[in-house]
Every structure is written in C-alpha cells, then in structure tokens.
C-alpha cells in the first residue's frame, strides 16, 4: 500500500469474533476513511522495531456501513486507532462502547512523498 499526503486512506473493518477467519475479505462490515494530513503521515512514516508497535488515535475519520446490520453503529460512540507494526504494517481498530471491536487486515505499506520536483519531458 502506498500512502501520500492529503489522500484518503480507506480501510475495511471486520467484526472481531469467532467467525473472522472464515470471512470473505472482499465483504467488510464497515469502511473507515481517514485523510492523511501532514501529522498523520509523519506518524505513519515510522517503522517500529520488530517487538514494538505504535498506536495512533484518530480524531477525524468517517465510517461507512457495508452491511445493513451495522448501519446503527454509525451513530454510536466509538474510538478509532491506527496500529503500526514492524514492516511497516498498518491496521486499524474501531472500538465501540458496547465492547464490540472491528479490525482491519494488516497491510504492508510504503509512504511516498511529492517533493515538488516534476520531471519535464
């Protein structure tokens, strides 16, 4: 996955339960969308050591229900975090006040930067 500033990052979220391993990864329960601003991208440009991880709390994000049964969750109280592990590998966690947890599959990523150096052809 490539990341760049001021672009949206969309992460599929799946309810964490006993059926998670049998789920179709093409049919998430929710989609979390967050715009990668300068601060968030700077945090994601780190690569934690093998035994470490980073947690980044998200304040500004949007949720989109992909399954009708999760529409009501859009108005519920929730908290979102991005988790960064060695690799770097990115995943997301959404926690609700009713103790439900949604997670995204871990994705390898590579931040990219626009240095303003356009090549003239």
């Amino acid at each position: 996955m490539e990341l760049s500033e001021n672009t949206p990052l969309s992460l599929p979220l799946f309810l964490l339960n006993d059926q998670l391993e049998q789920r179709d990864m093409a049919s998430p329960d929710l989609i979390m969308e967050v715009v990668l601003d300068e601060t968030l991208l700077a945090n994601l440009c780190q690569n934690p050591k093998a035994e470490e991880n980073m947690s980044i709390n998200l304040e500004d994000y949007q949720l989109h229900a992909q399954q009708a049964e999760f529409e009501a969750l859009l108005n519920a109280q929730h908290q979102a975090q991005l988790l960064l592990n060695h690799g770097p590998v990115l995943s997301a966690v959404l926690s609700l006040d009713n103790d439900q947890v949604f997670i995204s599959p871990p994705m390898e990523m590579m931040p990219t930067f626009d240095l303003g150096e356009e090549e003239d052809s």
Side-chain angles (χ1 to χ4, degrees):
M1 168 193 306
E2 290 191 6
L3 305 177
S4 57
E5 189 174 338
N6 296 320
T7 59
L9 173 64
S10 294
L11 297 165
L13 297 173
F14 298 87
L15 180 61
L16 182 60
N17 60 20
D18 293 339
Q19 289 80 39
L20 184 61
E21 289 184 14
Q22 289 81 34
R23 295 287 308 271
D24 177 5
M25 292 295 117
S27 298
D29 299 321
L30 302 168
I31 298 287
M32 181 171 59
E33 214 170 87
V34 59
V35 174
L36 297 172
D37 63 19
E38 183 179 356
T39 304
L40 183 54
L41 192 59
N43 282 321
L44 293 177
C45 287
Q46 301 177 58
N47 188 7
K49 294 179 183 172
E51 63 278 353
E52 296 178 349
N53 62 43
M54 279 184 55
S55 176
I56 304 163
N57 288 325
L58 295 176
E59 298 295 324
D60 191 21
Y61 59 93
Q62 293 185 344
L63 290 177
H64 307 281
Q66 302 300 297
Q67 308 293 328
E69 64 189 281
F70 297 111
E71 288 280 339
L73 298 181
L74 301 180
N75 297 319
Q77 291 290 323
H78 44 76
Q79 177 182 355
Q81 295 178 323
L82 294 179
L83 302 177
L84 191 60
N85 293 303
H86 180 71
V89 175
L90 177 69
S91 59
V93 176
L94 180 77
S95 304
L96 284 81
D97 284 351
N98 66 3
D99 294 330
Q100 283 185 312
V101 175
F102 292 80
I103 61 171
S104 72
M107 294 178 258
E108 290 187 21
M109 55 168 221
M110 180 58 65
T112 58
F113 304 94
D114 179 4
L115 300 176
E117 299 173 356
E118 297 292 322
E119 237 181 79
D120 293 328
S121 314

